[in-house]
């Protein structure tokens, strides 16, 4: 027999997840959250967390109800509602004040200091609470935030554009780009998901990258560029590089003679980065894999052969091969992208 309540809960949580997806890349250091309010089977409010310091998803949904009576309604939230004062008042208070009858959320707060506190407060007020609805999907949304608050490290994505024989650069003076324009456009979307982009000094010298979001729509929505991070073993870097001369030069960070893990910890703690992306070069990517620091891999393949050039895992002597899970494959013209999670040993 089908449980109608569970079926409805899953249906409305999927809609809350769709709301949450609108906020991906916009909310650091906060998590991405979506919310739906339902009364008598009809949606009367919806919202998502748009930016840190702004109203949380629950408040956005309550406001979108535009004065409709919320008494007796059910609120669906992808993440346990906050129960403590931060830059905004706790959402639990707003839910209690609105006299909703039931709260359904996907996953618990990953911060152990606050976990299950909302549930206790709501039940104390006679509000029914249901948890773990589409929990895996909801957890997926907050992976970067959860990793930062639980480990002090950001979520790390490695991105690379490669030839079929696994090279990062083309022979001679053929140009900088291996992948096509469609792949490069997708990289812009990927950059819009992260808080910082990391490269080594070698990549800075060879490519003089901008490491910016250049798609107008993406930038307008996000309203800020990711941090641009350079790792170097020497203190001498070209002052003529774009990272030090363009309009976003104040957004550039240099770390000299620091381990990658130390850099990641600093980005998480001092700069509140939930997620970062390593864009090269080969030695830096290899070091990240060797030290078990990579959470996700995103590779763009072009149908060319480049021969004996830069390898994406230069000098990385791994103890074991790395397997990907949760793999997605996308085609961009004659390029294709493979993206997946890196299994930890």
């Amino acid at each position: 027999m089908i449980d109608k309540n569970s079926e409805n809960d899953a249906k409305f949580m999927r809609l809350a997840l769709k709301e949450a997806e609108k906020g991906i890349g916009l909310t650091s250091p906060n998590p991405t959250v979506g919310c739906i309010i339902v009364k008598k089977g009809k949606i009367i409010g919806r919202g998502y967390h748009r930016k840190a310091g702004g109203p949380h998803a629950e408040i956005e949904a309550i406001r979108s109800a535009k004065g409709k009576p919320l008494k007796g309604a059910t609120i669906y939230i992808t993440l346990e509602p906050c129960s403590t004062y931060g830059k905004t008042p706790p959402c639990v208070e707003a839910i209690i004040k609105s006299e909703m009858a039931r709260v359904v959320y996907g996953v618990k707060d990953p911060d152990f200091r606050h976990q299950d506190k909302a549930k206790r407060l709501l039940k104390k007020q006679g509000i029914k609470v249901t948890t773990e609805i589409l929990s895996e999907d909801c957890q997926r949304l907050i992976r970067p935030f959860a990793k930062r608050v639980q480990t002090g490290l950001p979520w790390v994505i490695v991105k690379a554009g490669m030839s079929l024989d696994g090279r990062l650069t083309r022979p001679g003076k053929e140009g900088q780009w291996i992948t096509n324009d469609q792949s490069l456009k997708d990289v812009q979307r990927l950059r819009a998901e992260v808080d910082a982009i990391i490269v080594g000094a070698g990549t800075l010298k060879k490519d003089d990258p901008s490491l910016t979001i250049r798609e107008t729509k993406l930038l307008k929505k996000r309203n800020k560029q990711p941090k641009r991070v350079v790792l170097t073993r020497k203190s001498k870097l070209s002052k003529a590089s774009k990272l030090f001369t363009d309009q976003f030069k104040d957004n550039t960070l240099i770390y000299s003679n620091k381990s990658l893990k130390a850099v990641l910890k600093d980005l998480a703690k001092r700069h509140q980065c939930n997620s970062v992306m390593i864009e090269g070069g080969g030695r830096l990517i290899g070091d990240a894999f060797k030290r078990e620091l990579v959470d996700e891999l995103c590779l763009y393949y072009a149908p060319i052969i480049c021969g004996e050039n830069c390898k994406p895992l230069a000098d990385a002597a791994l103890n074991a091969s790395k397997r990907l899970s949760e793999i997605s494959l996308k085609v961009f013209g004659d390029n294709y992208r493979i993206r997946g999670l890196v299994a930890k040993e």
Side-chain angles (χ1 to χ4, degrees):
M1 184 177 176
I2 297 173
D3 185 337
K4 273 290 181 188
N5 284 334
S6 296
E7 198 175 60
N8 284 333
D9 285 347
K11 179 181 85 172
F12 290 122
M13 189 60 77
R14 283 191 192 94
L15 295 175
L17 281 161
K18 282 188 177 180
E19 287 296 312
E21 286 168 1
K22 297 174 185 177
I24 291 173
L26 308 179
T27 63
S28 283
N30 294 346
T32 303
V33 185
C35 180
I36 294 285
I37 301 174
V38 177
K39 189 172 182 180
K40 295 180 181 179
K42 292 185 178 180
I43 296 171
I44 59 172
R46 62 178 75 218
Y48 67 97
H49 188 36
R50 297 168 184 266
K51 64 177 182 177
H56 288 188
E58 299 91 320
I59 307 305
E60 290 276 6
I62 288 170
R63 289 176 180 174
S64 80
K66 295 180 179 176
K68 294 186 182 82
L70 300 177
K71 186 174 182 178
T74 297
I75 186 167
Y76 292 86
I77 319 159
T78 55
L79 176 66
E80 177 180 353
C82 64
S83 53
T84 55
Y85 279 87
K87 289 184 178 178
T88 58
C91 293
V92 166
E93 285 188 4
I95 292 168
I96 292 170
K97 187 177 179 181
S98 67
E99 299 184 278
M100 292 191 218
R102 185 169 173 248
V103 174
V104 181
Y105 59 85
V107 287
K108 297 178 181 181
D109 191 326
D111 190 330
F112 300 119
R113 297 171 299 173
H114 312 311
Q115 205 170 86
D116 286 328
K117 188 175 178 182
K119 188 176 183 179
R120 292 193 294 271
L121 290 170
L122 292 165
K123 283 191 168 183
K124 193 174 179 181
Q125 297 297 320
I127 298 172
K128 293 178 182 178
V129 179
T130 302
T131 65
E132 305 298 307
I133 301 297
L134 300 187
S135 58
E136 287 186 10
D137 293 322
C138 293
Q139 182 63 39
R140 213 169 274 128
L141 269 176
I142 63 162
R143 278 173 179 157
F145 171 76
K147 185 184 177 191
R148 183 179 64 79
V149 299
Q150 291 177 352
T151 71
L153 291 167
W155 184 263
V156 178
I157 303 171
V158 162
K159 166 258 158 184
M162 300 168 61
S163 63
L164 290 180
D165 56 339
R167 298 298 188 264
L168 297 175
T169 59
R170 299 174 72 174
K173 298 179 180 179
E174 287 190 354
Q176 181 180 355
W177 308 115
I178 286 180
T179 53
N180 64 21
D181 288 345
Q182 291 165 273
S183 290
L184 293 173
K185 190 172 182 178
D186 190 65
V187 170
Q188 294 289 302
R189 290 189 285 267
L190 190 60
R191 285 179 177 177
E193 292 181 22
V194 301
D195 305 311
I197 301 169
I198 306 174
V199 296
T203 297
L204 181 69
K205 183 179 179 181
K206 181 175 173 44
D207 297 338
D208 190 19
S210 297
L211 305 182
T212 55
I213 300 167
R214 294 183 289 278
E215 290 289 324
T216 306
K217 286 183 180 179
L218 289 173
L219 191 55
K220 187 176 180 181
K221 182 180 179 183
R222 180 180 163 115
N223 200 30
K224 64 177 180 179
Q225 293 283 357
K227 298 286 184 188
R228 307 182 297 185
V229 181
V230 182
L231 274 57
T232 179
R233 293 294 176 193
K234 300 175 183 178
S235 56
K236 216 170 182 182
L237 296 169
S238 172
K239 292 180 181 178
S241 299
K242 293 187 186 80
L243 300 192
F244 309 128
T245 57
D246 67 12
Q247 66 186 104
F248 308 112
K249 60 186 177 182
D250 293 338
N251 214 26
T252 301
L253 304 172
I254 303 169
Y255 290 88
S256 299
N257 297 307
K258 298 285 185 185
S259 72
L260 179 56
K261 189 168 185 178
V263 170
L264 293 173
K265 281 187 174 181
D266 189 68
L267 289 172
K269 184 176 181 180
R270 188 155 60 100
H271 298 283
Q272 297 285 282
C273 292
N274 282 347
S275 59
V276 304
M277 182 160 67
I278 297 175
E279 288 209 19
R283 285 190 175 85
L284 177 57
I285 292 173
D287 187 49
F289 271 98
K290 185 178 178 180
R291 299 182 189 285
E292 300 282 331
L293 294 171
V294 183
D295 297 293
E296 191 173 355
L297 182 63
C298 187
L299 297 178
Y300 297 83
Y301 282 96
I304 58 174
I305 306 295
C306 290
E308 201 60 37
N309 290 290
C310 180
K311 301 174 184 177
L313 291 176
D315 303 325
L318 303 181
N319 295 323
S321 55
K322 302 295 180 186
R323 185 170 292 277
L324 298 187
S325 63
E326 296 187 29
I327 296 166
S328 68
L329 186 66
K330 280 195 173 184
V331 178
F332 298 107
D334 63 357
N335 287 196
Y336 67 90
R337 185 195 79 184
I338 184 168
R339 185 173 179 179
L341 303 190
V342 178
K344 303 292 183 181
E345 286 186 1

